[in-house]
Each structure stands twice: as C-alpha cells, then as structure tokens.
C-alpha cells in the first residue's frame, strides 16, 4: 500500500467525515435520551406496593409516549437511573474495535 498515492489521499479525505459521524452517533443517542430522562426515572417510594404501582404507571407512559417509543432500544436493558449507559457501552465497543488496529495478528 502506497500511502503517498492519490488514491490513498482521496480515501483519507472521505475517512474524516465518516469518523466524525461514527463518533457522533453515541452523542446523538445521549442528547435524545437526556431530553426524555425525566420520564424514565422510576419511583423512589419506600413501600413495595407503591413502587409496583408507580412502575406500572411509568411502563404505561413509556409505551404510549411518542418521544419514548422510538428510543426504547437505547434504555430498555438498563435501570431507569442508568438511562445513559448505552452511550457508555457504544464508546467502549468503539474503543475495543479501535484497539484491534494496534494489535497485530497472532503468530
């Protein structure tokens, strides 16, 4: 591979915008979730029955809220107070994939 070739330089010019988009997707996820995070926080009541009733009410709101339905895949696997964790996981995966570039093939 000739890094000084015109073909390689053209590829570099297309790579930078793609990297910006790739790194920006988790930031977009965070912004969308931060906008609706107050609707994701669970009940803080001490009594179990109140917590269950509040959880059921919150579930109903989540299922019918037009802002939450398209974002469900980002927060559903986590507790409400950890609404941002999918963003952390996205960057963790990017870091691991990027680190593979610096690890050579196994002998």
């Amino acid at each position: 591979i000739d890094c000084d070739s015109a073909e390689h330089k053209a590829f570099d010019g297309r790579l930078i915008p793609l990297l910006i988009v790739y790194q920006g997707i988790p930031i977009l996820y965070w912004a969308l979730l931060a906008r609706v995070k107050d609707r994701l926080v669970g009940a803080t009541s001490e009594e179990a029955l109140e917590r269950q009733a509040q959880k059921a009410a919150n579930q109903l709101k989540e299922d019918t809220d037009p802002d939450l339905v398209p974002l469900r895949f980002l927060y559903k696997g986590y507790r409400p107070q950890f609404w941002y964790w999918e963003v952390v996981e996205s960057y963790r995966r990017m870091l691991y994939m990027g680190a593979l570039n610096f690890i050579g093939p196994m002998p």
Side-chain angles (χ1 to χ4, degrees), residues 33-93:
L33 287 170
R35 193 177 55 130
V36 296
K37 72 178 180 180
D38 58 333
R39 292 183 249 169
L40 299 175
V41 177
T44 58
S45 172
E46 296 297 320
E47 296 180 24
L49 291 177
E50 285 184 34
R51 282 196 307 258
Q52 288 177 349
Q54 185 64 33
K55 186 176 178 181
N58 285 344
Q59 183 66 40
L60 181 62
K61 282 193 285 185
E62 285 180 16
D63 291 342
T64 58
D65 190 328
D67 290 335
L68 293 178
V69 171
L71 301 175
R72 188 177 298 156
F73 76 99
L74 292 173
Y75 66 83
K76 238 357 183 185
Y78 307 103
R79 292 183 184 155
Q81 64 267 31
F82 299 114
W83 56 268
Y84 57 87
W85 203 250
E86 184 62 31
V87 174
V88 173
E89 284 295 308
S90 294
Y91 278 117
R92 181 189 62 83
R93 288 188 297 264

